[in-house]
Amino acid sequence: MREPRVIVIGNGMVGYKFCEKLKSKSDFFKLIVFGEESRRAYDRVHLSEYFNGKDEEDLSLSTANWYHDLDIKLYLNNPIVSIDRENKTVRDLSGINHGYDFLVFATGSAAFVPSIPGIEKEGVFVYRTIDDLDLIKAYAKKAKKASVIGGGLLGLEAAKALIDLGIEQTDIIEFAPGLMPRQIDPAGSRILVSKLTALGLQIHLNKNTTSIAGEACISEMKFADGSVMETDMLVISAGIKPRDELAKDCGIITGPRGGIVVDDRMQTNDSCIFAIGECALHAEQIYGLVAPGYDMAEVLAANLSGDNKTFSGFDMSTKLKLIGVDVASFGDNFIQEPDCRTIIFENKHKGIYKRLNISNCGQYLLGGILIGDAAAYNMLLQTTNNRILLSENPEELIMGTRSAENDGAAGITALPDSALICSCEGVTKGDICKSVSEGGCENLDDIKKCTKAGTGCGGCMPMVKDLMLHTMKAQGKYLRNVVCEHFQYSRQELYDLIHIHQLKSYDTVLTELGKGDGCETCKPLVSSLLASLWNEMILKKGNDTAQDSNDRFLANIQKGGSYSVVPRVPGGEITPDKLIVIGNVAKKYHLYTKITGGQRIDMFGAHLNDLPLIWEELIAAGFESGHAYGKGLRTVKSCVGSTWCRFGLHDSVSFAIRIEERYRGIRAPHKFKSAVSGCIRECAEAQSKDFGIIATEKGWNLYVCGNGGSKPQHALLLASDLDSDTCIQYIDRFLMFYIRTADPLTRTATWLNKMEGGMDYLRNVVVNDSLGMAATWEEEIESLIAAYKCEWKEAVENPAIRKRFSHFVNSPEEKDPSIEFVEMRGQKRTPDWKIA
Amino acid sequence: MTETTKWMAACRVEDAAENGGVCVKSGEEQIALFYFTRRNEWYATQNECPHRKQMALSRGMIGTLTDEPKVACPFHKKNFSLKTGECLNGDECAIKTYPVKVENGTVYIALKSTR
Ligand code: SRM
Ligand SMILES: Cc1cc2nc3c(=O)[nH]c(=O)nc-3n(C[C@H](O)[C@H](O)[C@H](O)COP(=O)(O)OP(=O)(O)OC[C@H]3O[C@@H](n4cnc5c(N)ncnc54)[C@H](O)[C@@H]3O)c2cc1C
Ligand code: SF4
Ligand code: FES
């Protein structure tokens, strides 16, 4: 007997999941898949990440040979165009007929495009496929102003994408009186509107678009209220339309508003034909989310392989992060008094809105809405779905402060083993705990592999992590943040061990404390510990190749393979003579010059071979390394202070120089920066630094643990009105505490955020010496300071090290011929990446 | 068409970087030569990283993944097997590798030429 043939129409998320499930359950079928798009099924849920650096392959759900290896025949770019139910064949675009025994519709849906006059104009897009995104990206280059029709989930996501593409102004047009009308209530919508407006989006509610005007391309939109708005492009996100056209043509029953009608076993009115995913209409409901689609795929795969499963509807709870704003709804989110009692928490100042709907008996949570802070989402969803009895004060569920961690643990213990944690993959609490207690999983990756939890939308990961930690703790396992496969220690443990054993090179550390032959994670980490402990020349033989590439060549590698040169300019103060030296050196070696954000000058585009020559000249003129490449002190910025400024209280420049010269060259888990301002006007931006100092009438205020970067955080006041020496004493202790205890690549702000007890604890350690370590630390830092030498000076003077600065080992004089530059505004720059 | 192997003298053992790489010029080509001293092994690969076509692999850190010797590109830390040239992050394409031998303190790299 020939194996039965299953043909799947559509290679989207659900079609793919069906193939995976069917193949894992049975080898009995021949699977043939037709996809209309040109690429293998990809993660549509994370489509927008295509604009944030992810490419096609990153989004793809499988590797190229996955289909081949599982013996699945995949046709791409080849939609099915008609179906002959009598002869049980489908016809593809190229006109070939293929016979089937079972036929599965996984055709998903298309964006719903309302019939507005002018909608066909150039510059109007939908947001559904990677191809759509490519078109939008190309067009956005010449657009300044964009609009989105639809203020639902997809519309907001499209608006965010437009912001990411650099469009200056984006307007959202919504027909309904509120945003996300399916998920949130009017009060929630108001908070969301104010948050999004603050982020630069213009939101228009109750607005009905009547026509789109423009020559060939869109140039303006007209509305029912008579108003008109100019726009360069438009993205339509007004809802979805199930792709049921093929089914309809061959007499399969579809719903009046679209969708292929299926029963609980995903069967249509033809017993050989099924539909799953967004094209299926089950109990008069279309599910526009991926988790129910995956559940349908499971049900159908099980039934085809002889099992008996049914689909009984699905929870539409969702949690999203829109433009950095959490939005979640769960359970019965819209039920109102008198059918329930509601608890509402609203904080307009911070843009937080939370609503809980509680049964009239006060015992159960029925559903709710969270905006601005959805940390409690997983727990609330579980409380609803598992009908967990509420405490006397259910408001604590949303008012609970930061001690949520303990509550979280208490919360997960209360869950039954059957609680569904990952709804995309149908993984329960029991499955996850078992994978840890019996399956030996000890990290999230293992759990993902073993149970598939978190491989869909990933929203359950925080809860999976809590469950993992909880189970491991219950088993008495000691949890450690180990470095990598070569060291079964945390950074802090390694620090202590290297100290105790007095180890001085990467190789001996690896031999004594680790296993295997190292990697790019542990090498820089151990090198940094060695530097923090002993402050010896980092390029000492044997340690040189254990440095990160930038440290190995004492310069930051740039696009194209050239390097940058950044001499230290303490406090940003520089003499005219030194400026002239920089100018002359840059001219001589053809370097691009730029004032950095750190109050000094960067010279870019140096050949590796030229670095020692350049530094020789700089050092002769009194410069030293600026450590722009190392994880250590970067800059101490200053404002001009009392020497010139009419408001200056103290000499901030002198103090900045003193600090920069004190801590230069000290290596730490991450780079650290500082600044000194001469008064509270704060022109040096000290409060955005790892430690920042601001002059007061009586002395200095010391702020710690701030940073700029991608997640800016203000520094917090550690101590006030200090004299200069006490201020330095506190910084000494603070830095050594940080160097000893922070995780790798953790800036001070993140270190503090993870510290139990937070700022109060830190202050106690630094100011009141609660750990009794102050004297040791002060001694240690003095020895680091005493050991300081300019690395570049040592490098140019030591022939063995200097020799390393040539590109070709067999032609030391020759520079890398592959390095190219192009001209811009009278200087040079690197050409764009050559993409493979 | 026959394949012949030509051994090119690349450098002296003491010129190579211990537990790291150096770059060798071979006509128009650039070859990264690695001396994995800890394992007493030598490897050679193309110097160009296929990810963004940067001449950089010789400046990368070497190490192992379980027991597979590898190099991490200094630019975006893509990993390549030193044995097979395969990209260990699954995505980028593989790199060329060359046999290496050491005789009398000189390191040789095998260049294949077809004619
Ligand atoms: C050159 C400079 C930009 C400029 O032209 O102005 C720059 C250039 C780089 N920055 Fe920066 N940052 C520069 C000032 C800043 C500032 C502004 C400041 O210091 O006041 C910030 C925000 C303040 C802060 O750090 O808190 C800044 C936040 C970052 C971050 C994000 C850090 C974070 O904790 O989020 C990175 C990424 C990292 O370090 O992991 C980064 C990383 C980098 C790297 C090292 C990226 C890289 O690996 O190639 C760039 C090195 C270029 C080079 O070869 O020198 N740069 N960078 C500035 C050099 C200042 C200097 O004189 O040393
Ligand atoms: C921007 C965006 C964000 C989203 N965010 C979320 C989210 O956060 N959470 C969530 O749960 N869901 C989200 N979704 C929805 C989710 O992506 C869908 O629910 C899911 O993709 C549905 O899977 P599917 O396989 O049914 O349909 P699809 O993934 O659309 O796949 C259907 C495929 O069938 C093809 N096809 C159609 N007709 C034919 C034919 N005749 N022949 C051959 N092939 C055909 C189509 O081209 C398509 O490739 C989002 C969707 C978008 C667009
Ligand atoms: S902001 Fe980004 S691009 Fe600009 S210098 Fe810093 S790291 Fe480089
Ligand atoms: S260029 Fe090598 S990893 Fe990007």
Side-chain angles (χ1 to χ4, degrees), chain A residues 10 12-14 36-37 44 80 108 128 154 243 278 289-290:
Chain A
M13 297 190 76
V14 175
E36 175 189 59
E37 293 183 64
R44 211 178 295 288
I80 295 301
R128 176 90 199 165
L154 290 184
R243 300 277 305 263
E278 269 186 11
L289 294 175
V290 70

Side-chain angles (χ1 to χ4, degrees), chain A residues 45-46 290 423-424 454-460:
Chain A
V45 170
H46 294 106
V290 70
S423 44
C424 297
T455 54
C457 71
C460 60

Side-chain angles (χ1 to χ4, degrees), chain A residues 334-602:
Chain A
F334 286 141
I335 184 172
Q336 281 188 2
E337 274 144 8
D339 299 328
C340 71
R341 298 180 196 157
T342 57
I343 298 176
I344 288 180
F345 169 82
E346 188 172 343
N347 178 340
K348 286 203 170 124
H349 166 61
K350 288 198 172 146
I352 296 174
Y353 173 79
K354 300 179 183 182
R355 162 173 165 179
L356 296 184
N357 306 325
I358 290 180
S359 64
N360 280 323
C361 63
Q363 290 189 325
Y364 302 108
L365 182 59
L366 303 176
I369 295 167
L370 304 170
I371 293 164
D373 169 14
Y377 169 75
N378 277 317
M379 209 47 232
L380 294 174
L381 175 64
Q382 296 294 345
T383 306
T384 308
N385 289 353
N386 295 293
R387 292 183 66 78
I388 292 179
L389 283 182
L390 295 176
S391 73
E392 268 169 57
N393 309 313
E395 67 276 9
E396 282 173 359
L397 287 171
I398 47 174
M399 305 290 291
T401 44
R402 274 312 222 172
S403 66
E405 250 185 62
N406 295 329
D407 294 344
I412 48 179
T413 30
L415 291 179
D417 274 353
S418 60
L420 193 62
I421 305 294
C422 169
S423 44
C424 297
E425 293 287 341
V427 187
T428 63
K429 171 184 166 188
D431 298 336
I432 291 165
C433 296
K434 223 155 103 200
S435 76
V436 176
S437 59
E438 292 167 26
C441 299
E442 293 198 350
N443 58 53
L444 291 175
D445 281 343
D446 287 351
I447 297 181
K448 272 186 174 173
K449 269 192 211 131
C450 176
T451 64
K452 298 213 115 201
T455 54
C457 71
C460 60
M461 282 327 273
M463 199 142 204
V464 174
K465 186 170 178 201
D466 284 346
L467 284 171
M468 174 185 84
L469 295 177
H470 174 73
T471 317
M472 287 174 73
K473 260 193 202 147
Q475 288 182 295
K477 281 192 190 154
Y478 173 43
L479 298 175
R480 283 190 318 195
N481 235 344
V482 301
V483 170
C484 68
E485 64 174 69
H486 305 108
F487 288 97
Q488 292 301 305
Y489 296 107
S490 68
R491 180 184 178 278
Q492 195 175 343
E493 288 166 334
L494 265 183
Y495 181 101
D496 289 335
L497 287 167
I498 294 174
H499 193 184
I500 294 165
H501 295 281
Q502 298 272 314
L503 304 177
K504 298 277 172 88
S505 78
Y506 172 76
D507 241 25
T508 48
V509 174
L510 183 56
T511 308
E512 301 269 316
L513 305 172
K515 60 167 199 251
D517 298 308
C519 68
E520 73 278 11
T521 304
C522 58
K523 282 187 172 179
L525 185 142
V526 169
S527 299
S528 149
L529 290 178
L530 291 170
S532 291
L533 277 164
W534 318 121
N535 211 2
E536 293 179 344
M537 170 63 182
I538 62 166
L539 298 186
K540 235 176 48 174
K541 193 165 164 60
N543 277 355
D544 53 347
T545 49
Q547 306 291 338
D548 218 340
S549 172
N550 284 349
D551 278 300
R552 180 173 166 198
F553 296 106
L554 304 178
N556 286 329
I557 194 164
Q558 307 293 328
K559 232 159 95 177
S562 67
Y563 285 88
S564 68
V565 173
V566 194
R568 189 168 290 292
V569 178
E573 183 188 80
I574 187 163
T575 61
D577 281 338
K578 279 187 153 178
L579 279 174
I580 290 169
V581 171
I582 290 190
N584 284 337
V585 166
K587 235 175 159 172
K588 178 163 168 195
Y589 294 94
H590 306 287
L591 305 175
Y592 164 89
T593 50
K594 177 179 182 301
I595 309 289
T596 72
Q599 299 190 342
R600 47 191 188 173
I601 299 167
D602 203 339

Side-chain angles (χ1 to χ4, degrees), chain A residues 518-521 523-524 545 547-549 552, chain B residues 21 34 36 45 47 49 56-64 68-82 86-89 95:
Chain A
C519 68
E520 73 278 11
T521 304
K523 282 187 172 179
T545 49
Q547 306 291 338
D548 218 340
S549 172
R552 180 173 166 198
Chain B
F34 301 98
F36 211 143
T45 70
N47 192 31
C49 174
L57 292 178
S58 61
R59 300 180 201 169
M61 276 178 280
I62 60 173
T64 49
E68 183 83 10
K70 59 163 191 173
V71 58
C73 175
F75 274 91
H76 312 96
K77 300 274 149 73
K78 301 272 180 199
N79 280 211
F80 300 91
S81 161
L82 291 173
E86 183 197 356
C87 177
L88 303 173
N89 311 89
I95 53 171

Side-chain angles (χ1 to χ4, degrees), chain A residues 171-205:
Chain A
D171 290 70
I172 297 179
I173 320 282
E174 168 60 50
F175 179 70
L179 290 176
M180 299 185 71
R182 291 160 71 102
Q183 284 87 8
I184 65 179
D185 59 5
S189 166
R190 280 196 294 277
I191 289 275
L192 190 56
V193 167
S194 63
K195 280 221 114 172
L196 298 181
T197 312
L199 290 166
L201 285 167
Q202 303 276 340
I203 296 174
H204 311 267
L205 301 171

Side-chain angles (χ1 to χ4, degrees), chain B residues 16-69:
Chain B
E18 285 185 16
N19 289 309
V22 291
C23 176
V24 177
K25 183 178 161 75
S26 156
E28 294 298 290
E29 253 180 295
Q30 299 195 11
I31 298 176
L33 172 68
F34 301 98
Y35 181 17
F36 211 143
T37 327
R38 253 190 97 80
R39 298 164 62 97
N40 197 21
E41 290 166 354
W42 292 85
Y43 295 101
T45 70
Q46 71 186 57
N47 192 31
E48 185 179 84
C49 174
H51 176 233
R52 289 289 182 258
K53 296 203 176 302
Q54 300 290 308
M55 283 297 181
L57 292 178
S58 61
R59 300 180 201 169
M61 276 178 280
I62 60 173
T64 49
L65 178 68
T66 52
D67 203 36
E68 183 83 10

